[in-house]
Amino acid sequence: MLKRVGLLIRKFLHVSVRKLISWLPRDQRFKVYRSFADCNPAPSSRLELKIAETQEELEACFAVLHDAYVDSGFMKPDPSGMRVTIYHALPTTTTLCAKYDGEVVGTISLIRESALGVPLQKIFDLNSVREKEGLIAEVSALAVHRRFRKTGGSILFPLMKFMYEYCTTFFDTRHLVIAVNPSHIEMYESLLFFKRLTANMVESYDFVNGAPAIGATLDLKEALDVFKKHYTKKPPHRNLYAYFAQVKLPNIKFPNRRFYTTNDPVLTPELLDHFFNVRTKTFENLSDRKKVLLHSIYDLPQYRSVLPVLSSNVDDIPVRRHQRFSVKCPARISFQTSDGKEAKVAIEVIEVSRYGFQARAQNVLPLNIWCDTTIQLGRADVSHFRSLALRENNNGQDGFYGFRLGEPDIIWRKFVSALYSSTTHGDLDTATRFL
């Protein structure tokens, strides 16, 4: 009885304090919210943060997400007990998980902009974000297990820390976008300094069962300067600048990568079939366009039997002819200038295909001149060949160039063959077998 009374008193005080805070001016209100931040720089060793990659981990993530969304009214209960969307089926989506004593207790998905776009672009205008240089990812499917929702951010903040480090060092992402319920938007604005997107609030967002939503974005390239300004003088457990920029969490288990790729696909044909055909009917309910795009993305014989059957009228749906792969490889080209001198220019390779690559360069590069090219494909894999810059596509401050390959060396052929033939990021560790 006393315990129940205590809970009622705490709930009353919590509601009353929130109501009082809501009456403050915006800047003062946000300062108060920031004073509540509680990011333990040394969480328990029982907590592990990693990419969800096994069937058991993914099922647990989707179940935690399902329960959180049902509890919030963002979806109706599904017979599978999971929330699974078509975006979870993409190799450009990564699901992160928090495990406590081996049990999944939190999850968040990062959906890189791809041929299917991102979920919120149907509702919110992303033109202002796309005008800046850098790739976009939607932060989606954030959920914490019921047992940990009132523990002062003991799971949420480590997940956020993992997300930040993964995006900035592994996922090659500059801009995060979110669509959140109006009751949550001020947390993102005050603590993390998200800025609202055009079309501030949508009354009905189909992706979350018609609940209202507000779109917002965060530029990760600028975020730390803002965090430094607002958090530097706060104590360690409230200093989000130090937490994101300086603290190293041994709890985080980053993926092992042989090459400098930017995606970590985990879905084998068996896992795709399990989640999107057997446990749910996600594939069955897709539009013809999305079915065609899936076939173009998973263009390998072993996937054909688990992908949705194409109708007879899909020939007119345009798709990119040659599949490309996102990477972040430092490189250098050298060439003869018009006065006979040798010029050496650093570039960054960002996409590769069988026939060439796309690179970003700070300097203006000559077109239609053969260059000696050296690309660092991974920590121990360096490729040398000749290439030809054919076209320039300016985007933001840097120049983007398309290159055609001359005769690629064995290291490049091994790398590209592995990208085309592998199913998961772990397959790249044994790239030679794909030659």
Side-chain angles (χ1 to χ4, degrees), residues 4-37:
R4 184 178 179 186
V5 171
L7 289 173
L8 289 173
I9 291 174
R10 282 198 294 271
K11 184 177 180 180
F12 172 77
L13 290 174
H14 178 73
V15 172
S16 299
V17 169
R18 286 195 63 177
K19 189 172 292 186
L20 286 172
I21 293 173
S22 69
W23 292 338
L24 292 172
R26 187 176 188 270
D27 289 347
Q28 294 299 316
R29 189 165 69 248
F30 282 10
K31 284 182 180 179
V32 173
Y33 290 150
R34 285 193 286 273
S35 71
F36 291 156

Side-chain angles (χ1 to χ4, degrees), residues 288 292 310-319:
D288 284 344
V292 169
L310 297 177
S311 61
S312 58
N313 60 343
V314 298
D315 292 339
D316 295 332
I317 300 176
V319 294

Side-chain angles (χ1 to χ4, degrees), residues 58-67 70 75-85 88 274-282:
L58 289 166
E59 279 193 345
C61 286
F62 299 152
V64 168
L65 179 61
H66 172 275
D67 293 346
V70 170
M75 69 175 288
K76 296 177 181 178
D78 189 89
S80 68
M82 300 186 297
R83 175 172 172 83
V84 179
T85 75
H88 287 118
H274 176 78
F275 286 111
F276 303 97
N277 290 323
V278 178
R279 294 297 306 279
T280 72
K281 300 302 179 185
T282 306

Side-chain angles (χ1 to χ4, degrees), residues 2-254:
L2 288 176
K3 184 177 180 181
R4 184 178 179 186
V5 171
L7 289 173
L8 289 173
I9 291 174
R10 282 198 294 271
K11 184 177 180 180
F12 172 77
L13 290 174
H14 178 73
V15 172
S16 299
V17 169
R18 286 195 63 177
K19 189 172 292 186
L20 286 172
I21 293 173
S22 69
W23 292 338
L24 292 172
R26 187 176 188 270
D27 289 347
Q28 294 299 316
R29 189 165 69 248
F30 282 10
K31 284 182 180 179
V32 173
Y33 290 150
R34 285 193 286 273
S35 71
F36 291 156
D38 190 4
C39 51
N40 184 0
S44 169
S45 60
R46 298 160 70 182
L47 177 67
E48 179 188 20
L49 301 151
K50 66 183 297 291
I51 288 177
E53 51 191 337
T54 67
Q55 179 175 313
E56 292 73 22
E57 287 172 343
L58 289 166
E59 279 193 345
C61 286
F62 299 152
V64 168
L65 179 61
H66 172 275
D67 293 346
Y69 271 49
V70 170
D71 291 346
S72 300
F74 295 161
M75 69 175 288
K76 296 177 181 178
D78 189 89
S80 68
M82 300 186 297
R83 175 172 172 83
V84 179
T85 75
I86 183 56
Y87 295 95
H88 287 118
L90 303 179
T92 48
T93 292
T94 300
T95 295
L96 310 180
C97 69
K99 301 175 77 172
Y100 196 85
D101 288 341
E103 178 188 0
V104 171
V105 295
T107 182
I108 192 169
S109 291
L110 296 166
I111 304 171
R112 264 274 282 282
E113 191 169 31
S114 65
L116 269 67
V118 292
L120 65 73
Q121 73 178 37
K122 297 177 182 177
I123 305 296
F124 299 100
D125 183 4
L126 293 179
N127 287 334
S128 62
V129 182
R130 293 193 177 104
E131 286 173 357
K132 294 183 178 181
E133 179 190 338
L135 300 177
I136 298 171
E138 180 169 345
V139 182
S140 183
L142 169 62
V144 174
H145 195 283
R146 291 187 183 101
R147 297 202 319 271
F148 290 85
R149 290 178 196 166
K150 296 182 180 180
T151 57
S154 63
I155 302 300
L156 178 62
F157 279 113
L159 264 177
M160 292 289 189
K161 165 75 170 173
F162 185 19
M163 175 191 73
Y164 171 79
E165 293 202 14
Y166 183 73
C167 283
T168 54
T169 61
F170 280 78
F171 211 39
D172 191 25
T173 299
R174 175 174 172 177
H175 304 283
L176 299 181
V177 294
I178 57 172
V180 300
N181 190 272
S183 63
H184 299 152
I185 185 60
E186 289 200 342
M187 181 194 79
Y188 290 92
E189 290 179 303
S190 60
L191 298 186
L192 302 177
F193 299 92
F194 273 79
K195 297 179 180 179
R196 299 194 187 197
L197 292 167
T198 304
N200 268 341
M201 188 172 79
V202 177
E203 293 297 336
S204 179
Y205 186 34
D206 290 342
F207 200 63
V208 286
N209 198 34
I214 294 177
T217 181
L218 178 67
D219 187 335
L220 294 176
K221 190 174 182 179
E222 301 171 353
L224 286 185
D225 288 337
V226 180
F227 285 12
K228 188 174 184 179
K229 176 182 176 182
H230 291 274
Y231 287 112
T232 299
K233 296 181 181 179
K234 293 186 178 295
H237 69 289
R238 303 205 189 283
N239 187 340
L240 287 185
Y241 169 71
Y243 187 71
F244 284 111
Q246 299 168 351
V247 170
K248 299 298 180 185
L249 293 186
N251 313 70
I252 295 177
K253 182 181 178 182
F254 287 108

